[in-house]
Amino acid sequence: MTHVDLWTPLDWPGFGHIALAALAFLCVTAFLAGAIDAIVGGGGLLQLPAMLLVNPGGAVVYSLATSKMVGLVGTSAAAVTFARKTPLDWKAVGQMAATTFPASVAGAAVASALPKSVLNTVVLCALVVVGLYTWRKPEFGVAENRRFGHRGELVAMAVGGAAIGFWDGLGPPGTGSFLVFLLVGVIGYAFLRASAVAKVVNIAANLGALVFFIPAGKVLWGLGAAMAVCNLAGGILGASLAMKRGSAFVRKVFLVVVSGLVISVTWKLSLA
């Protein structure tokens, strides 16, 4: 009988020399992250820290790049699942996604000039405001309350896409959750439709990052493929749960994710 060593680094190409036990851990994390991300965003709260803990490839950039590739697959699957059951204004969604990409590049350029402690403080304050506002208004996002006509909604979503893209380019956590909050609070979507739109816009954000990472050879394709299968399965499950349980359920998950992000960012600031 062949002995399988769970703790010896694998020699498989594209896996970043991690052990089989670490691979299993990352795959489970990718599944859970995919489910959470599909429901309301924030899956990166689980997936990226797990990858940084394992540190495949021996450098942070491999975790960042591979995580974006995994997220792209899971988000795409969730977007397809949502689109089949949730009617979307594809012109507005496409316009929002289109403005996200260049704004993300601009955000990345600005990020290099900003101290991380300043950025994390801004993120923490914003998350606390978002969480308290949602918690104190039980009816917020449960039903739709569209605030613009069709043309006004197109403009608002395009501007919102640029703002979220810039934020995503800066690199702070919680981009997906802020996107959902923007769609609910500004556009007037219910949480369910906001989550569906967010998946499509997130695809553009992930593609923007991969434009830089893939030519640089920073994506670990073997590890990414294994995690992507699990993330995809989690994304389909999460989207199905969201559609089955409705906006009230999505709102509750949103509050849990925002609370987790507040704790995570506070911890980072305490270590700074």
Side-chain angles (χ1 to χ4, degrees), residues 119-143:
L119 190 57
N120 282 331
T121 301
V122 173
V123 172
L124 178 60
C125 293
L127 284 169
V128 169
V129 170
V130 166
L132 287 175
Y133 186 87
T134 305
W135 175 64
R136 290 180 61 84
K137 290 183 172 290
E139 76 286 355
F140 181 66
V142 174

Side-chain angles (χ1 to χ4, degrees), residues 52-78:
L52 293 174
L53 178 65
V54 173
N55 197 25
V60 171
V61 68
Y62 291 106
S63 293
L64 294 173
T66 306
S67 184
K68 287 292 184 183
M69 177 263 190
V70 173
L72 175 63
V73 174
T75 299
S76 299

